[in-house]
Amino acid sequence: MKVNYSKIIEVFEELASKHLQINSFVDNHPLQVNSKELNFPVLAIYPGLTRMDKGIVKMGFKMFIMDLQTGGYTGERSGLSSTLLIGNDIIKKLFQSEDEYGFVINEETVVAEPFAENFKSSEKADIEDDVVGWYFSFDVDIQDDYNSCNLPFAE
């Protein structure tokens, strides 16, 4: 199976749909999506810095796992706890599934940072939500069948 950006996004969408605690999937920066269209918790993923070496492509991704925050500080603590566990579920599933999906997350590149934000998708948005969660950054390593004879250039 040939792995490319679209295939990777499809895998994350599949994982989000199968995870019992994720209710929405977004393949864009979450702040560029109308929050009225989302059911929380949300998994949002979008591309980051990508490096191309001979034989391997290290495609960077940024993943948000976020939920609505209610209940002040206690709600924030609870939301951070649950969204970190959800993110960990996704990362662990991908660590275990290289044969199934055809790519692997580079374990040395996974970092997670908590956030608590007021989520307003645009200047004209009529609702605002307080959200809490984790921002994950990681690389997906893809084997590149580099063959200079197969490049799409005319002689």
Side-chain angles (χ1 to χ4, degrees):
M1 146 184 27
K2 182 73 173 162
V3 177
N4 58 29
Y5 173 78
S6 293
K7 173 63 179 163
I8 294 168
I9 296 299
E10 288 170 10
V11 167
F12 278 93
E13 185 171 21
E14 175 188 331
L15 291 174
S17 72
K18 289 182 177 180
H19 194 284
L20 300 177
Q21 295 172 307
I22 296 173
N23 293 322
S24 292
F25 171 80
V26 176
D27 63 342
N28 198 345
H29 192 290
L31 298 180
Q32 297 177 355
V33 175
N34 187 334
S35 63
K36 289 192 291 186
E37 299 171 2
L38 301 176
N39 294 315
F40 290 86
V42 175
L43 184 156
I45 189 158
Y46 62 99
L49 182 67
T50 297
R51 291 170 296 287
M52 297 177 193
D53 296 323
K54 193 173 184 177
I56 194 163
V57 175
K58 294 180 177 289
M59 192 173 294
F61 282 93
K62 299 176 185 332
M63 178 178 75
F64 282 82
I65 304 291
M66 63 184 184
D67 201 358
L68 292 175
Q69 178 188 344
T70 57
Y73 176 74
T74 303
E76 181 176 335
R77 184 176 60 215
S78 174
L80 285 172
S81 180
S82 64
T83 53
L84 180 60
L85 290 172
I86 292 169
N88 191 45
D89 294 343
I90 298 297
I91 298 295
K92 291 290 167 72
K93 177 70 172 165
L94 289 168
F95 282 162
Q96 300 168 358
S97 303
E98 180 178 5
D99 292 337
E100 182 178 352
Y101 298 123
F103 63 87
V104 64
I105 289 183
N106 184 326
E107 293 182 31
E108 296 175 6
T109 65
V110 179
V111 294
E113 182 177 345
F115 67 89
E117 299 288 335
N118 182 266
F119 181 78
K120 184 176 179 180
S121 59
S122 71
E123 294 287 326
K124 298 178 182 177
D126 57 354
I127 62 171
E128 294 182 17
D129 294 309
D130 290 327
V131 295
V132 63
W134 291 82
Y135 159 80
F136 293 79
S137 178
F138 51 86
D139 289 344
V140 170
D141 291 350
I142 304 167
Q143 294 300 315
D144 183 20
D145 300 332
Y146 177 80
N147 183 339
S148 60
C149 296
N150 292 334
L151 298 177
F153 291 100
E155 294 288 325

